[in-house]
Amino acid sequence: MSKDSSDYYFKKAKKSIKTKADLAEYYFCKNARCTDYNSQDSSIYYGKIAAKMFLDIKEYNKYMYVLSNMGKTYLKQGKYEKAIEGYFTGMKVAEREKNNYWMQAFPQSASIAYHDFEEYKKGVAYGKIALAKALSNKKATQFDVAGALNAIAINFDDWKKPDSALYYHFKVFKYIKGADTLKIANTYNNIGNTLLKLKKFKASEKWITRAVKISKANSNGAKNAFYYYENATNYNNLATIAYELKEYDKAEVLFDTSYFYASRSESVEKLRDYYYARYLFNKKRNNVAKALAFQEEYLKLRDSIFKKDREATFAELETKYETEKKEKQLLKSKAEIRERELELDKKNTQFLILGLISLALLSIIYLIYRQQKLKNTQQKQEFELKSAIAKIETQNKLQEQRLQISRDLHDNIGSQLTFIISSVDNIKYAFDLQNAKLDTKLSTISSFAKATIIELRDTIWAMNKSEISFEDLQARIHNFIDKAQEAKEEIQFNFEIDETLRSTTFTSLEGMNIYRTLQEAINNSIKYAEASQIAIKIQPLDAKISITVEDNGKGFDCEEVELGNGMANMKKRIADVNGTLDIHSVPNVGTTITIILNSHKA
């Protein structure tokens, strides 16, 4: 319906209002219309009026609709704490009214709000709450499930966990099939967005181009706020793909289109994303002046959203509504006590005896309360002690199990591998093998079994330790280096650890991940780089730990060479210990792998 038509019918409807319920419905419709047409101030104004009226007449379902509409508007304005406040209020009402739809919808909206505020861990948590509610609700549609999956996926995407993001994105197609996929343009764009971050530009472009076509087909010429919001993302991603593929003229055109949609969406988030992408584009092209200008615009918007005081307010909102009921009860109790005190003051002379009795009763109550409090404290301490003892017993059992497993691995699998090596070597020496291929194959089997025994010993070593220090890692890596030098004596190794870090410890799993990563890095330098010198350095870096593996090998061009599964595995291992891994290589100069870890206990 056009703006003029809706205004005409609103005027007619206003003349027909007879009850408070009619008036609340009128403002509700005004709020919904302003939300759809992006009239943000009016949406909030009419929403507040409608919400108050619906509360007065106890029309809670419509009340929750209004909270949802206002939340959408607050998100576009970047007022995330107000959006979250409304969503938490909605969750409380939905739980009280047992409204299954809103019990799923509000956590989903909260998940998206946390995503926009870059609180991705909380975004995933609320998205999973929404998904659980949708799956348990027999009346939920496949689009309710898809919406929750989408909320989880976009949080994982910007949390830099692309595998999890793609898992939840593709799971959408389990519920949405056939012609209904035309209603999920955002899923196509989100998959493209994740592939873009993985630098799979052509695959990303296909998904996002599909999203643009679906969005256009769904609009039927009606360009509402959601249409502009959706396409602002689509074209911003397409522009980024174009400049990554060095199609700079095409990127300029697509950026202009992105800005057109972003400005009409009136979404702070979309404008922020546009300015940041423009900044990166001009930085890549060495347009310093333009890059700085777009960076300044981006920082203005970002600073307006992510001020420290807003972060504190945002964090407090979660606990506010959990304690609200108790606070109301406490205020009510205080008011009642004050009222009784005033009555006692007025009748003090006449009811002195009654006052003394009351005072005595209050003293008894206080003593009982104090005794109960002491008892509760004692019970809590006893519980904590029992829990600590149980935890220690569990840890001891786990350690015993780990030792038993390591013994089984050593005694069973280790002895079997040793038998295989011995059998293969006996075959080679017992028979005069004329077949060169068979001889090579037997040698390969023997070498593989020997390598497997080494890997098994590394695993047993890690399992037998509850903690692993850098000193332990150095000793283990020196063993590995010694074996490597037996094969290539010309390679010079240098391993340095800052004295302050020698006693720094990790869990056995973390230590094994670091060891495997260093082992892979050294292997790469030996096998592929043709290096004559390899240096490993472990040193403090501000409040973190820096590990570098540097060689003087033949190097490679990072932009032209596609890194294989080995490098991906290395990055994943370091990410699993909350660290980062970066590779820098210069042809004919060498390669440096830098690992940054958060500091651990010493």
Side-chain angles (χ1 to χ4, degrees), residues 111 115 124 127 147-159 161-162 164-170 172 190 194:
S111 172
H115 165 267
V124 169
L149 289 169
N150 175 68
I152 297 169
I154 62 174
N155 276 284
F156 271 128
D157 177 68
D158 286 320
W159 200 3
K161 297 190 176 185
S164 297
L166 290 173
Y167 170 79
Y168 282 99
H169 277 317
F170 282 111
V172 170
N190 291 336
T194 303

Side-chain angles (χ1 to χ4, degrees), residues 40 72-80 112-118 120 154 158 189-190 193 229-230 232-233 236 258 262-263 265-277 298 301-302 304-306:
Q40 295 178 2
K72 292 175 185 175
T73 302
Y74 281 134
L75 285 184
K76 290 177 185 177
Q77 295 175 334
K79 297 177 180 178
Y80 300 112
I112 293 169
Y114 275 121
H115 165 267
D116 293 352
F117 196 69
E118 299 182 6
Y120 306 122
I154 62 174
D158 286 320
N189 175 70
N190 291 336
N193 188 47
Y229 180 92
E230 193 172 54
T233 303
N236 206 49
S258 172
S263 59
S265 74
E266 297 186 24
S267 166
V268 174
E269 180 206 1
K270 294 299 115 180
L271 283 170
R272 181 194 66 191
D273 292 347
Y274 165 77
Y275 286 130
Y276 186 68
Y298 163 73
L301 282 178
R302 196 178 190 283
S304 71
I305 295 171
F306 296 100

Side-chain angles (χ1 to χ4, degrees), residues 41-169:
D41 292 340
S42 297
S43 170
I44 299 300
Y45 173 76
Y46 291 122
K48 288 180 178 179
I49 296 173
K52 186 178 184 306
M53 288 185 171
F54 283 134
L55 276 179
D56 290 342
I57 63 175
K58 296 181 173 53
E59 178 54 75
Y60 296 117
N61 192 46
K62 293 286 181 66
Y63 172 67
M64 289 185 283
Y65 264 110
V66 175
L67 290 179
S68 178
N69 285 341
M70 288 198 295
K72 292 175 185 175
T73 302
Y74 281 134
L75 285 184
K76 290 177 185 177
Q77 295 175 334
K79 297 177 180 178
Y80 300 112
E81 71 277 17
K82 287 186 176 293
I84 281 289
E85 186 175 15
Y87 295 148
F88 283 152
T89 301
M91 286 183 216
K92 185 173 65 176
V93 175
E95 291 286 348
R96 187 188 69 208
E97 297 298 312
K98 295 182 173 55
N99 187 307
N100 289 322
Y101 172 75
W102 289 113
M103 285 164 66
Q104 174 261 323
F106 280 120
Q108 180 179 318
S109 296
S111 172
I112 293 169
Y114 275 121
H115 165 267
D116 293 352
F117 196 69
E118 299 182 6
E119 286 276 1
Y120 306 122
K121 185 175 182 179
K122 290 182 180 178
V124 169
Y126 279 98
K128 288 184 176 180
I129 291 171
L131 179 62
K133 295 288 186 184
L135 292 174
S136 64
N137 180 14
K138 294 181 180 179
K139 293 184 179 179
T141 69
Q142 67 267 39
F143 294 105
D144 294 331
V145 178
L149 289 169
N150 175 68
I152 297 169
I154 62 174
N155 276 284
F156 271 128
D157 177 68
D158 286 320
W159 200 3
K160 296 181 181 178
K161 297 190 176 185
D163 291 342
S164 297
L166 290 173
Y167 170 79
Y168 282 99
H169 277 317

Side-chain angles (χ1 to χ4, degrees), residues 4 82 94 180 190 198 201 246 351 367 396 402 412 463 474 570:
D4 292 338
K82 287 186 176 293
D180 284 341
N190 291 336
L198 291 171
F201 303 123
K246 299 182 179 180
F351 301 102
L367 290 172
N396 289 338
R402 289 165 65 186
N412 297 330
M463 287 182 67
Q474 185 181 27
M570 290 166 67

Side-chain angles (χ1 to χ4, degrees), residues 195-213:
L195 293 172
L196 170 57
K197 291 174 181 175
L198 291 171
K199 299 189 181 301
K200 297 181 179 180
F201 303 123
K202 288 296 183 182
S204 172
E205 186 176 35
K206 289 180 181 178
W207 282 93
I208 298 171
T209 302
R210 179 65 173 162
V212 171
K213 291 179 180 178

Side-chain angles (χ1 to χ4, degrees), residues 150-418:
N150 175 68
I152 297 169
I154 62 174
N155 276 284
F156 271 128
D157 177 68
D158 286 320
W159 200 3
K160 296 181 181 178
K161 297 190 176 185
D163 291 342
S164 297
L166 290 173
Y167 170 79
Y168 282 99
H169 277 317
F170 282 111
K171 205 169 181 180
V172 170
F173 294 106
K174 175 183 175 182
Y175 299 93
I176 310 296
K177 298 177 181 178
D180 284 341
T181 56
L182 294 176
K183 298 176 184 177
I184 53 168
N186 60 329
T187 297
Y188 285 86
N189 175 70
N190 291 336
I191 292 172
N193 188 47
T194 303
L195 293 172
L196 170 57
K197 291 174 181 175
L198 291 171
K199 299 189 181 301
K200 297 181 179 180
F201 303 123
K202 288 296 183 182
S204 172
E205 186 176 35
K206 289 180 181 178
W207 282 93
I208 298 171
T209 302
R210 179 65 173 162
V212 171
K213 291 179 180 178
I214 293 173
S215 178
K216 184 177 181 181
N218 288 342
S219 71
N220 292 322
K223 297 177 180 179
N224 57 20
F226 180 72
Y227 174 79
Y228 290 120
Y229 180 92
E230 193 172 54
N231 279 292
T233 303
N234 291 336
Y235 282 98
N236 206 49
N237 283 338
L238 288 173
T240 302
I241 292 169
Y243 85 67
E244 289 286 0
L245 295 175
K246 299 182 179 180
E247 298 172 351
Y248 299 125
D249 292 340
K250 181 179 177 181
E252 288 281 6
V253 174
L254 290 168
F255 271 129
D256 288 342
T257 306
S258 172
Y259 179 73
F260 170 82
Y261 286 112
S263 59
R264 279 158 180 76
S265 74
E266 297 186 24
S267 166
V268 174
E269 180 206 1
K270 294 299 115 180
L271 283 170
R272 181 194 66 191
D273 292 347
Y274 165 77
Y275 286 130
Y276 186 68
R278 271 288 205 178
Y279 154 68
L280 293 178
F281 171 59
N282 284 286
K283 181 181 177 184
K284 188 178 183 74
R285 299 196 70 186
N286 291 321
N287 294 333
V288 178
K290 286 186 177 181
L292 289 173
F294 281 112
Q295 185 186 43
E296 184 176 354
E297 293 296 332
Y298 163 73
L299 291 175
K300 282 180 185 177
L301 282 178
R302 196 178 190 283
D303 289 346
S304 71
I305 295 171
F306 296 100
K307 290 180 180 177
K308 288 186 178 179
D309 56 342
R310 294 190 69 192
E311 290 180 8
T313 302
F314 204 79
E316 289 169 4
L317 286 171
E318 274 193 283
T319 56
K320 176 183 176 183
Y321 291 95
E322 294 175 2
T323 59
E324 188 180 40
K325 187 176 180 180
K326 292 181 180 179
E327 289 176 353
K328 286 181 178 179
Q329 290 174 343
L330 182 60
L331 288 171
K332 185 178 178 181
S333 297
K334 287 181 178 180
E336 290 174 352
I337 292 170
R338 181 60 181 163
E339 187 176 355
R340 286 197 298 269
E341 287 176 351
L342 289 172
E343 289 177 359
L344 287 172
D345 288 341
K346 291 178 183 179
K347 300 177 181 180
N348 187 45
T349 306
Q350 301 173 10
F351 301 102
L352 181 58
I353 297 174
L354 181 61
L356 292 171
I357 293 172
S358 298
L359 182 61
L361 287 173
L362 287 172
S363 298
I364 293 170
I365 291 170
Y366 172 74
L367 290 172
I368 294 172
Y369 164 77
R370 186 177 178 184
Q371 185 65 29
Q372 185 63 40
K373 188 175 180 180
L374 290 171
K375 184 178 179 182
N376 290 342
T377 302
Q378 184 180 1
Q379 289 176 342
K380 183 180 178 182
Q381 291 173 344
E382 289 176 357
F383 175 76
E384 289 174 351
L385 180 60
K386 289 178 181 178
S387 297
I389 293 170
K391 185 176 180 180
I392 292 170
E393 289 176 350
T394 301
Q395 289 174 343
N396 289 338
K397 288 180 181 178
L398 287 173
Q399 183 64 20
E400 289 175 5
Q401 290 175 356
R402 289 165 65 186
L403 290 171
Q404 184 60 45
I405 292 171
S406 65
R407 290 192 199 101
D408 290 343
L409 287 171
H410 182 272
D411 295 343
N412 297 330
I413 298 177
S415 62
Q416 291 172 10
L417 288 169
T418 303

